[in-house]
Amino acid sequence: MLTLQCPYCGVWAEETELHAEGEAHLKRFGPGSDDADFESYLFMRENPKGVHFERWRHSHGCGKFFHAARCTMTLKVFGTYPAQTLEPPQDIKDRISETYPGWTWRNFK
Amino acid sequence: MSDLKSALPGARFDGFATVEETGLRGMVTLRGDLSSKVLAKAVKAAVGAGMPQSGQVSRGDKGLVAWMSPDELLLVVAHDLAGDIVVALNDALKGEHALAVNVSDARAVFRIAGDHAAEVLAKLAPVDLSDAAFPPGSFRRTRLAQIPAAFWRNEDGSFELVCFRSVADYAFGILSKSAMKGSRVGVL
Ligand SMILES: [Zn+2]
């Protein structure tokens, strides 16, 4: 059972109050972009064993989208943070480094 | 004048706690900037209540205001007040980025009362309903078995629960099942 704290309403919500919304920090490539970028935006996803960044929605609560950093292998949650950001906050990155020194994920480290 | 009816008029179940449909209730959804002084003043004028903290309701002489999300409130008042409140809010919020809608007839309201009322909800929602975690004045939007719902705790320890009118029958059914005599878990 996964329990995440919604950064908007502060509620510690267990998984069934939330909805998984796929990978976090995707850069959108829309009309006018080249085929490779568009394909990668639509289909290419990280599937790591370990540190991962996801988008979640507090669908049965305040309704807001947020981001979560967790380990897909141990289910350890490193933190959640608002969706209005292009990069995970430093304190969450530091917390990941305590458990997984030298971790990388796409262009974050 | 139309003969207005709530979702399940008079529905009541007596188990280890009491579940009853409370009849017609006025409800206004208000979206906007909750830090705006103009909005706070408009809410005060409408319900007589101050702005609620996150996860709380605030009370005024005309009803209560529930914190729904960082940009949404629910005003709960007598059924016949809701229409006028929307007009007053729209007037007071001219020029603000805000939206007020009368949702009264899209909803059903239930009261769950009795010494162990918290257990009825605790079996259905993934929420810590202990007295310490959910004292009177607390408010939560969550999941009630398979439907979205929101509830708050009154000063007398009872709960009032709001759900969509279209699922009122389901809500009353599961609340009643959960309140059946002999089915207490015994932890709350
Ligand atoms: Zn939330």
Side-chain angles (χ1 to χ4, degrees), chain B:
Chain B
M1 187 70 190
S2 329
D3 182 16
L4 298 174
K5 286 263 196 305
S6 63
L8 302 168
R12 180 188 167 102
F13 179 85
D14 291 292
F16 69 77
T18 306
V19 179
E20 56 183 339
E21 201 245 21
T22 66
L24 291 168
R25 194 78 66 93
M27 272 177 250
V28 175
T29 286
L30 176 61
R31 300 202 77 144
D33 175 4
L34 301 194
S35 64
S36 153
K37 288 204 173 88
V38 179
L39 189 134
K41 211 174 138 198
V43 169
K44 184 89 185 168
V47 186
M51 292 296 277
Q53 300 284 311
S54 156
Q56 302 279 312
V57 296
S58 59
R59 287 173 187 278
D61 54 342
K62 276 182 253 171
L64 61 84
V65 181
W67 191 95
M68 296 288 275
S69 89
D71 53 11
E72 181 178 344
L73 299 174
L74 182 69
L75 282 52
V76 183
V77 294
H79 189 265
D80 57 358
L81 288 181
D84 290 344
I85 283 178
V86 170
V87 173
L89 286 173
N90 282 332
D91 209 35
L93 293 169
K94 266 199 187 89
E96 290 274 301
H97 185 61
L99 176 77
V101 183
N102 184 351
V103 296
S104 312
D105 300 323
R107 301 281 168 82
V109 185
F110 296 93
R111 180 182 293 110
I112 303 100
D115 288 348
H116 307 292
E119 275 213 14
V120 177
L121 289 175
K123 285 194 228 168
L124 301 168
V127 180
D128 182 352
L129 288 164
S130 61
D131 290 344
F134 209 85
S138 303
F139 176 85
R140 176 77 179 248
R141 285 173 82 177
T142 184
R143 166 182 77 79
L144 192 77
Q146 300 186 45
I147 55 169
F151 50 77
W152 63 88
R153 195 165 204 180
N154 293 316
E155 293 305 318
D156 65 3
S158 68
F159 293 82
E160 277 176 287
L161 177 141
V162 176
C163 66
F164 290 114
R165 183 178 173 124
S166 55
V167 290
D169 195 44
Y170 175 86
F172 182 68
I174 51 171
L175 287 168
S176 303
K177 267 279 185 301
S178 179
M180 269 173 73
K181 281 202 173 86
S183 75
R184 269 197 66 207
V185 177
V187 291
L188 290 177

Side-chain angles (χ1 to χ4, degrees), chain A residues 35-76:
Chain A
D35 286 355
D37 282 344
F38 188 56
E39 184 211 17
S40 135
Y41 164 63
L42 280 185
F43 302 115
M44 303 312 279
R45 294 294 181 269
E46 295 298 297
N47 185 22
K49 180 184 177 188
V51 178
H52 197 25
F53 295 87
E54 296 169 307
R55 216 159 61 115
W56 287 79
R57 182 170 174 251
H58 195 187
S59 53
H60 276 110
C62 69
K64 301 295 179 195
F65 284 87
F66 62 91
H67 289 155
R70 68 178 179 108
C71 174
T72 59
M73 187 168 57
T74 63
L75 290 191
K76 184 182 170 105

Side-chain angles (χ1 to χ4, degrees), chain A residues 62-109:
Chain A
C62 69
K64 301 295 179 195
F65 284 87
F66 62 91
H67 289 155
R70 68 178 179 108
C71 174
T72 59
M73 187 168 57
T74 63
L75 290 191
K76 184 182 170 105
V77 176
F78 301 106
T80 54
Y81 50 103
Q84 291 76 16
T85 170
L86 300 173
E87 201 171 326
Q90 192 58 45
D91 63 311
I92 286 179
K93 289 187 188 173
D94 291 346
R95 220 167 299 141
I96 299 172
S97 296
E98 282 167 23
T99 311
Y100 296 105
W103 66 276
T104 61
W105 186 88
R106 290 202 186 250
N107 49 349
F108 303 147
K109 53 184 187 297

Side-chain angles (χ1 to χ4, degrees), chain A residues 5-11 17-18 58 61-64 66, chain B residues 67-68 70:
Chain A
Q5 186 179 31
C6 170
Y8 295 98
C9 64
V11 159
E17 197 174 289
L18 304 168
H58 195 187
C62 69
K64 301 295 179 195
F66 62 91
Chain B
W67 191 95
M68 296 288 275

